[in-house]
Amino acid sequence: MAMNSSREQPQPLGRVIGAVKDWVGRLGEIWVDAQVVEIKRRSGATQFMTFRDRVANMSVQVTASAVVLDSAGPLPEGSRVTARVRPRVWDKATSLSFECLEIHVAGEGQLLLRLEQLKRKLQAEGLFDDHRKRRLPLLPRAIGLVTGRGSDAERDVLTNVARRWPSAIFRVEHALVQGIDSAASLMTALARLDADPEVDVIILARGGGSLEDLLSFSDEGLVRAVAAAKTPVVTAIGHERDTPIVDLVADLRASTPTDAARRVVPDHVEESAGLALARTRLNRAVDVLLTREEHAISALRSRPVMLDPTSAFSAHYERLTLFRHRLGSAVEHRLRAEEADLRAAVSSIRALSPKHTLERGYAVLVGPGHESVSSIADASVGERIRAYLADGELTLDVVQTNPKEQHG
């Protein structure tokens, strides 16, 4: 690539760039160990990434086809990778970049890849759905705690819960929190607490650690056991930045063991203050209500009807007297009318009475058979008839009948 040049005989820039490009192109392919710090996915066939040296503060732009990038599987930013790359110099910008021909997640990244694949599998089953999350009890009868024996996490939970709610009751199950058998140990402890009818909430707690240290809390068996538990489960594993898979399936994720203690029990100081405030407000409300009712009663008592209860009847007494007078007058008038009608009826009856007729000089004739004699045809000469008068009766003998002449 050596070129002769001087101030008097400079080389064209394009020629120099072309020479550099040829020299870089002859370097060929090489495997590199790097960290992926940025991935820019585009809609086209070419994708863009930024690789950084894992020790030195050096980075480079990398291009890769969508096929190469997809073949690597889930590739979170920050992953350590081994990649087969080929350096290239672009003509226009004269920038150095690398074309990635093959890429594999390495070291911790490989572990992250497996966890990401498990996470996607469980998510597809709906184990992380919000509708599965259960509310924690306001004040649990007993709190289950799964943690390492004598650990800082155990001390933090017990101390902070006791500080917030001194009468809290614990059921503590110690388990292995890292290592080959830790997942099985955690599942056994969880099952014991889940079977305890007094335990209303379970805390799964551990201090911080590396990805490998927290690996048991991403175990598929433990994750499914937490999802299937009847008792609400609170996870408090590591610190805010640590997110094992069991956090995603738990009913509540606490950022730290101390935060878990704050979530499972109320603060008795705050509750006492709130109760005192509520009692004060209640007393004030009762006082206001009583005062208002006393004023209402005083207003009722000051009314004339309450000062003299009989005053309300005065008008009614007057109306009652008037109605009584009207009723008496109506009855008297009706009696007089009925009396007049009765006298008229008696007079009519008396006028039609046979006795009254007899008193006017008439007589009633009765034949021998006590039949009425109203015609000369009813009696024969020689018969004896009776004549009933107003003051007695006469016995008469028929000696002659004289028919009344008919005038035509």
Side-chain angles (χ1 to χ4, degrees):
M1 180 183 160
M3 292 184 180
N4 295 323
S5 66
S6 65
R7 184 165 57 179
E8 290 75 16
Q9 295 180 332
Q11 296 291 330
L13 178 61
R15 181 180 178 187
V16 175
I17 293 174
V20 171
K21 180 179 178 181
D22 291 340
W23 180 80
V24 171
R26 290 196 299 271
L27 292 177
E29 302 172 0
I30 188 170
W31 283 93
V32 296
D33 178 13
Q35 181 184 21
V36 179
V37 295
E38 185 180 23
I39 300 177
K40 296 180 180 179
R41 285 190 175 269
R42 305 289 177 86
S43 58
T46 303
Q47 310 299 316
F48 297 87
M49 297 179 288
T50 300
F51 283 3
R52 183 173 61 191
D53 187 85
R54 294 198 308 113
V55 179
N57 187 18
M58 301 173 66
S59 61
V60 67
Q61 298 299 313
V62 180
T63 61
S65 68
V67 175
V68 170
L69 197 58
D70 292 340
S71 65
L75 188 62
E77 293 181 353
S79 301
R80 177 186 173 187
V81 297
T82 56
R84 182 165 60 90
V85 299
R86 179 169 56 199
R88 297 181 60 182
V89 174
W90 297 94
D91 292 335
K92 292 183 179 181
T94 320
S95 59
L96 174 67
S97 68
F98 287 85
E99 179 185 5
C100 181
L101 306 175
E102 187 177 350
I103 185 170
H104 299 277
V105 181
E108 186 175 287
Q110 184 65 32
L111 184 56
L112 288 172
L113 174 61
R114 292 203 306 269
L115 293 179
E116 184 65 24
Q117 291 172 338
L118 175 60
K119 187 186 301 183
R120 292 187 180 185
K121 171 187 172 182
L122 298 176
Q123 185 175 22
E125 296 180 20
L127 265 62
F128 305 156
D129 293 349
D130 289 339
H131 70 84
R132 294 175 53 90
K133 311 294 184 184
R134 291 163 293 184
R135 281 181 172 272
L136 304 186
L138 177 63
L139 188 61
R141 290 171 295 177
I143 303 168
L145 175 60
V146 178
T147 186
R149 185 182 300 275
S151 63
D152 292 341
E154 178 181 13
R155 184 181 64 257
D156 289 346
V157 172
L158 295 178
T159 301
N160 284 282
V161 167
R163 182 182 298 117
R164 291 176 61 83
W165 199 263
S167 60
I169 299 174
F170 270 96
R171 303 279 196 274
V172 180
E173 288 288 339
H174 294 116
L176 299 175
V177 292
Q178 76 180 72
I180 298 176
D181 299 325
S182 57
S185 178
L186 290 167
M187 284 188 283
T188 301
L190 178 67
R192 288 199 192 100
L193 293 176
D194 193 35
D196 190 334
E198 295 295 320
V199 174
D200 290 332
V201 64
I202 300 172
I203 299 175
L204 196 59
R206 187 204 190 283
S210 65
L211 178 64
E212 289 80 4
D213 292 339
L214 302 179
L215 196 58
S216 56
F217 292 94
S218 293
D219 180 81
E220 182 175 357
L222 178 61
V223 171
R224 293 188 181 278
V226 170
K230 302 185 296 294
T231 310
V233 177
V234 177
T235 54
I237 302 161
H239 303 287
E240 186 68 39
R241 66 180 182 276
D242 302 320
T243 309
I245 296 178
V246 75
D247 280 345
L248 303 177
V249 77
D251 297 289
L252 177 68
R253 175 187 181 265
S255 58
T256 62
T258 300
D259 182 47
R262 184 179 62 84
R263 299 294 192 96
V264 297
V265 291
D267 187 343
H268 78 284
V269 175
E270 294 178 1
E271 295 299 321
S272 298
L275 184 60
L277 179 60
R279 185 182 293 111
T280 300
R281 289 178 176 175
L282 179 61
N283 291 336
R284 186 180 302 117
V286 171
D287 289 341
V288 171
L289 178 62
L290 290 177
T291 301
R292 184 170 63 244
E293 295 301 323
E294 286 176 356
H295 290 163
I297 292 174
S298 297
L300 289 174
R301 286 176 176 173
S302 63
R303 293 182 179 180
V305 69
M306 297 301 293
L307 295 175
D308 182 11
T310 61
S311 63
F313 297 109
S314 298
H316 296 290
Y317 283 142
E318 294 176 0
R319 294 184 63 191
L320 184 60
T321 301
L322 177 61
F323 290 153
R324 186 182 292 112
H325 176 71
R326 288 180 179 178
L327 180 60
S329 299
V331 170
E332 184 178 356
H333 177 72
R334 183 63 180 271
L335 288 176
R336 285 198 298 268
E338 294 295 333
E339 184 179 4
D341 292 342
L342 182 59
R343 286 175 180 175
V346 170
S347 298
S348 298
I349 293 172
R350 285 177 177 175
L352 298 174
S353 172
K355 182 179 179 181
H356 185 65
T357 303
L358 295 176
E359 288 177 350
R360 295 204 308 269
Y362 291 93
V364 176
L365 301 180
V366 178
H370 300 288
E371 70 278 5
S372 175
V373 177
S374 59
S375 173
I376 61 173
D378 295 333
S380 301
V381 176
E383 285 184 344
R384 180 169 288 182
I385 62 175
R386 292 179 181 277
Y388 290 95
L389 303 174
D391 57 352
E393 61 181 66
L394 296 175
T395 301
L396 305 175
D397 291 328
V398 179
V399 293
Q400 185 180 350
T401 61
N402 299 309
K404 186 176 180 181
E405 295 182 0
Q406 300 292 327
H407 301 282

